[in-house]
Amino acid sequence: MRILNFGSLNLDYVYEVDHFVAPGETLAVNSQILSPGGKGLNQSIALAKAGMDVFHAGCVGAGGEMLVGILNETGVNTDLIRTVPVLQGNAVIQVNSAGENSILLYGGSNHAVTKEQITETLSHFSRGDALLLQNEMNLLPEMISCAYEKGLQIFFNAAPCSEDAKKADLSKIRWLIVNEIEMQQLTGQETPEKAWTLLHGKYPELSLLVTLGSEGSAAFSGSETVFMPAFPVRAVDTTGAGDTFTGYFITALMENLPIKECLRRASMASAIAVTRLGAAKSIPERNVVLAALKL
Ligand code: RIB
């Protein structure tokens, strides 16, 4: 099975700080790096490193060449990425001494997708293929409808959560992927179990993956419920940990592994990622993840 990731590509300007800058404060940073990022790009790299055959579609603008370059180096097919006369999408990321992040996002080129591009891109895919989406692109409802009509299996990571994400037609989605905050924003429910009861009642075909940070993760599919604790590590930078989890989880699912094993692999991959600085650059290779799991 092939997977198309119609997703964002960002230049991440990452600043290591002692604490997040406060209103009115000017704060000197400890270090600065420019790193490839964007939930879309990170997830394509995680899928490819986990072993999937990945096609990335989207738009880059001025300054985005290095993003296409890193996807190519990782083995992701980039033929469906267009160059547009718009400023490259980017993120300004503060990472504090606890490894937590605070992110400002500029959509730029990621919001330049056209309906024609969606139709043309999806014309290369058919029933049996999968589509992965996040919420950093424009025209999300059009992507979902077009892919659903073609019979693609759709994975939707509703991140970052917004009014647009809430408008996504979940009856057309196979797997909804959220963290705890996005789960609360989307469903109004405080626990994964309550969110699942609500969603499963409304959308019987939908499955749900909730990442819970240091508390682990939970997956719900049909009558199956699996909880997985997180592997304890000292976090350096949690940016991209959810993207790593998503890529490894989907790949393991596509390999028809039991859900428990999918969660275990994804948990180990994201545990390794948080011990490294940066988003895409922190995503571990498959052999590193399997070795850590003694597989
Ligand atoms: O999920 C992490 C990503 O969110 C960063 O790479 C940044 O670009 C933002 O999109």
Side-chain angles (χ1 to χ4, degrees):
M1 181 190 280
R2 302 179 306 166
I3 189 161
L4 167 67
N5 182 5
F6 213 137
S8 58
L9 305 103
N10 288 335
L11 291 172
D12 285 356
Y13 295 89
V14 183
Y15 301 90
E16 276 190 289
V17 292
D18 292 333
H19 62 266
F20 298 145
V21 69
E25 182 184 19
T26 299
L27 182 66
V29 305
N30 299 328
S31 75
Q32 190 263 356
I33 55 165
L34 174 59
S35 188
K39 293 186 192 305
L41 177 144
N42 298 340
Q43 291 179 18
S44 278
I45 288 180
L47 286 162
K49 286 193 171 176
M52 277 292 289
D53 190 7
V54 193
F55 294 74
H56 192 105
C59 295
V60 288
E65 307 77 16
M66 78 99 140
L67 302 173
V68 179
I70 188 167
L71 285 173
N72 283 328
E73 280 166 27
T74 319
V76 175
N77 183 304
T78 59
D79 293 349
L80 298 169
I81 297 178
R82 294 187 179 186
T83 301
V84 292
V86 177
L87 198 61
Q88 176 58 49
N90 61 75
V92 173
I93 304 178
Q94 298 178 64
V95 178
N96 70 11
S97 47
E100 299 163 324
N101 62 50
S102 166
I103 302 181
L104 286 174
L105 195 59
Y106 174 71
S109 50
N110 295 311
H111 288 180
V113 175
T114 62
K115 290 185 181 173
E116 176 277 323
Q117 182 181 2
I118 294 171
T119 312
E120 202 284 322
T121 299
L122 285 167
S123 72
H124 299 277
F125 298 86
S126 54
R127 188 171 296 279
D129 291 329
L131 173 70
L132 171 60
L133 299 169
Q134 311 79 29
N135 187 35
E136 289 187 342
M137 309 287 282
N138 63 321
L139 298 182
L140 196 65
E142 285 79 357
M143 291 181 192
I144 293 173
S145 293
C146 188
Y148 183 77
E149 279 161 25
K150 294 182 74 76
L152 272 63
Q153 189 179 155
I154 306 174
F155 294 82
F156 176 43
N157 175 212
C161 192
S162 66
E163 288 310 309
D164 281 347
K166 290 180 190 167
K167 286 182 204 146
D169 184 351
L170 297 183
S171 69
K172 296 177 177 164
I173 305 294
R174 180 69 189 84
W175 274 89
L176 174 66
I177 302 169
V178 284
N179 65 21
E180 203 170 11
I181 295 168
E182 292 148 4
M183 173 198 81
Q184 288 167 7
Q185 290 170 328
L186 268 184
T187 66
Q189 303 300 311
E190 293 295 316
T191 65
E193 294 90 334
K194 286 183 182 167
W196 173 241
T197 303
L198 180 99
L199 290 170
H200 192 45
K202 277 187 177 173
Y203 311 106
E205 302 303 319
L206 183 72
S207 297
L208 173 68
L209 168 63
V210 187
T211 56
L212 303 161
S214 58
E215 298 299 310
S217 54
F220 305 84
S221 186
S223 58
E224 199 176 355
T225 296
V226 186
F227 284 89
M228 179 65 55
F231 292 97
V233 284
R234 191 182 161 276
V236 170
D237 180 4
T238 55
T239 315
D243 302 328
T244 306
F245 198 107
T246 296
Y248 268 85
F249 180 80
I250 292 174
T251 304
L253 264 187
M254 300 284 186
E255 291 174 7
N256 289 320
L257 293 174
I259 289 183
K260 188 174 177 189
E261 183 57 21
C262 300
L263 289 177
R264 210 166 77 90
R265 289 192 182 191
S267 300
M268 181 55 84
S270 61
I272 295 169
V274 302
T275 63
R276 304 169 174 179
L277 189 63
K281 285 184 172 167
S282 71
I283 299 168
E285 299 285 348
R286 180 186 176 101
N287 62 343
V288 173
V289 176
L290 296 189
L293 289 168
K294 302 195 183 351
L295 289 174

